[in-house]
Amino acid sequence: METTTIESSEVKTAIARLREKAPFVYGLTNYVAANLSANVLLALGAGPAIGSAPGWAAAFPAGAGAVWINGAALMSSVTTDELDEAAATAHKAGTPWVLDPVAIGAGASEYDAILASLARRLDAVVAVSGEVDYLCDPAGRATAVPGGDAKMPQVTGTGCSLGALSAAFCAVVDPFTAAAAAHAAFATAGKRAGERATGTASFAIAFVDELSLL
């Protein structure tokens, strides 16, 4: 299995394209993660719109560079129909989209069924994050992304905002490269932030700073 880092040529190219193109990225996510997700996207040059309002799910995915759908948006004011409409609109328009099935398998069978229904629309890159992140796609490509910091899971929204950044990169490069670039950016920013943060609050600020400096 290959390894992807911030020094990989494809990651450097993806970051440069993201800053150059500054794509509009539409997201449905939970209220806990929305602020950090928006700041993560802005730090690397994307333009976010997050949330649900009348007509948004039917219109924004068609004009966006990419879309991300976080299952926990359902804990906010977003409805199941709006999740489905956003996915269907993106699919019809050819807009790349990312599904973050946060908390799937935690015991809420109705919730799990909703996310499983969305996932069936995808022929997708699959990414699992941890001390080392692992990614694979239907074509058989796979990579490992080392790095990060132990404080990352202690800051609300880091995992959710990774889905947002993966979507942003999908607007400028192919999905596998997009996912790898997002994970590499997070791993590097997390490691660098951890080296200078004194606690979790300062880490959260340093993390966004480090993303903006990539």
Side-chain angles (χ1 to χ4, degrees):
M1 178 180 292
E2 66 180 58
T3 298
T4 301
T5 72
I6 201 69
E7 297 302 324
S8 300
S9 60
E10 63 271 24
V11 174
K12 291 182 176 180
T13 298
I15 292 173
R17 287 182 180 173
L18 185 57
R19 294 197 182 281
E20 177 189 358
K21 300 295 185 182
F24 166 50
V25 183
Y26 177 58
L28 294 171
T29 192
N30 63 82
Y31 64 87
V32 176
N35 183 69
L36 182 59
S37 296
N39 286 332
V40 162
L41 291 174
L42 290 166
L44 278 160
I50 299 174
S52 175
W56 284 22
F60 285 2
V67 171
W68 92 96
I69 297 173
N70 183 301
L74 292 169
M75 64 188 275
S76 304
S77 60
V78 180
T79 67
T80 301
D81 287 344
E82 286 171 320
L83 290 189
D84 191 68
E85 187 170 37
T89 302
H91 185 76
K92 182 177 180 180
T95 303
W97 62 284
V98 170
L99 175 65
D100 184 352
V102 60
I104 194 169
S109 58
E110 183 178 357
Y111 172 81
D112 289 356
I114 292 167
L115 296 191
S117 176
L118 286 171
R120 291 189 189 102
R121 299 175 184 267
L122 296 169
D123 182 22
V125 176
V126 175
V128 179
S129 58
E131 290 187 14
V132 177
D133 300 344
Y134 294 98
L135 298 85
C136 63
D137 74 357
R141 290 183 293 180
T143 192
V145 183
D149 186 88
K151 296 183 188 68
M152 294 177 79
Q154 298 173 344
V155 174
T156 299
T158 50
C160 297
S161 58
L162 177 56
L165 187 59
S166 296
F169 278 115
C170 281
V172 296
V173 294
D174 69 273
F176 184 79
T177 302
H183 282 254
F186 258 54
T188 299
K191 181 176 184 297
R192 292 174 181 175
E195 290 170 352
R196 61 187 179 92
T198 56
T200 55
S202 60
F203 175 84
I205 294 170
F207 177 64
V208 176
D209 279 347
E210 291 296 341
L211 285 171
S212 73
L213 295 171
L214 291 176

